[in-house]
Amino acid sequence: MAQEKRYWWLKLPEDFFNQIEIKLLRKIAGGDTYTIIYQKMLLLSLKNGGLLYFEGFAEKFAEEISLTIDEKLENVEVTLSFLQSKNLIVELDRMTFEMQKAKIMMGSETASAERKRRQRERERENSQLENVTDSQNQRTMSHPSHVEKRREDKRREEENREDKKKEEDTDNLFDNYFQIFSEFTKGIKPQPRIDAMHRFAELSPEQRSEAITGAKNYILWYQNSGNDIKFSKNAAVFLKDMIFIDYQEIPEEQSGYDPELGF
């Protein structure tokens, strides 16, 4: 007897492609492929209630996923790296991954409805907390600890917002940086995105801005030098060796290129 097929419904919100994370993903070179990989992973997770398990038949999780959904390993690695940077996928432990947005993507609520619901819950909690504080203040501040706790909670919320903003700013800066090299060597030599991403994250905020300036000047200089693009530095090495420091301004000398040094 043939085994009965089982079906799962994957409900995507109508604004799926308007979500900022998906827009950023699609802007990456090959972004449409990475978006399809993300959708395949969502479909795969439905069997386990939104979870993806590392079964161990390959050496690493990315390789296992690439074999399961029949996609190239390097494309899966880039997709996973992006999803983790945007908290669309979270590693629970070495053997388990949880798709945090699986609930949204599978249609229990639209993304917009869930955001509004959470906002209403936060507003209700804040209103209740303010009422408690006002009541305590009217009792001649007999319990000042609650007021201090609320101030501390507000401070932590502000810090969390600042941390999230810094993380988003870093992601945007890196996308700008990497695109400079990707466009320059497009169709000629690949750029190691994951390695470059790690190198970029290790830089200080000031150095990240300098890296973008240096990359722009380096590419302009290289285009005018007449040298073969295949000998140019890639996005990761440019950061690793801190080459961007030497290109805060475009060098006046257009000759003297050393193929071994790459500049």
Side-chain angles (χ1 to χ4, degrees), residues 27-84:
K27 284 182 180 294
I28 300 172
D32 286 340
T33 297
Y34 305 146
T35 302
I36 292 174
I37 291 175
Y38 179 33
Q39 292 176 335
K40 282 187 175 183
M41 292 172 65
L42 287 172
L43 285 168
L44 185 62
S45 74
L46 294 180
K47 298 180 181 180
N48 300 310
L51 296 175
L52 292 175
Y53 291 97
F54 181 48
E55 304 291 348
F57 59 78
E59 292 185 1
K60 55 184 179 179
F61 179 76
E63 183 179 359
E64 189 168 295
I65 291 296
S66 71
L67 292 171
T68 303
I69 64 178
D70 195 24
E71 294 286 346
K72 291 182 179 179
L73 175 59
E74 56 266 33
N75 290 340
V76 172
E77 289 177 334
V78 172
T79 304
L80 285 173
S81 178
F82 178 89
L83 295 177
Q84 287 179 296

Side-chain angles (χ1 to χ4, degrees), residues 133-229:
T133 302
D134 291 340
S135 176
Q136 291 172 338
N137 288 338
Q138 291 173 3
R139 291 197 297 269
T140 66
M141 299 295 290
S142 58
H143 298 287
S145 59
H146 292 286
V147 179
E148 293 299 326
K149 182 179 183 302
R150 184 167 179 269
R151 289 175 179 170
E152 180 65 18
D153 290 341
K154 278 190 172 183
R155 184 184 65 78
R156 289 178 180 174
E157 288 177 3
E158 184 65 26
E159 288 178 351
N160 289 336
R161 282 194 294 269
E162 288 295 325
D163 290 342
K164 185 176 181 180
K165 185 177 184 301
K166 289 179 181 178
E167 182 178 346
E168 292 174 350
D169 290 343
T170 299
D171 292 339
N172 291 334
L173 286 173
F174 175 75
D175 289 339
N176 292 337
Y177 169 81
F178 191 78
Q179 188 175 8
I180 295 171
F181 281 89
S182 297
E183 291 297 327
F184 178 55
T185 63
K186 188 175 182 179
I188 298 176
K189 61 183 290 188
Q191 294 290 336
R193 180 179 181 84
I194 295 178
D195 190 13
M197 185 182 298
H198 292 322
R199 300 288 182 187
F200 195 84
E202 293 173 353
L203 299 177
S204 68
E206 181 180 357
Q207 288 175 328
R208 291 167 188 167
S209 297
E210 291 176 345
I212 294 177
T213 299
K216 292 178 180 178
N217 291 338
Y218 175 71
I219 298 305
L220 288 174
W221 172 83
Y222 210 99
Q223 287 174 330
N224 294 327
S225 69
N227 296 305
D228 195 326
I229 293 178

Side-chain angles (χ1 to χ4, degrees), residues 108-119:
S108 59
E109 294 179 283
T110 66
S112 177
E114 183 170 8
R115 285 195 295 268
K116 290 180 179 178
R117 176 181 62 77
R118 290 180 177 176
Q119 182 179 358

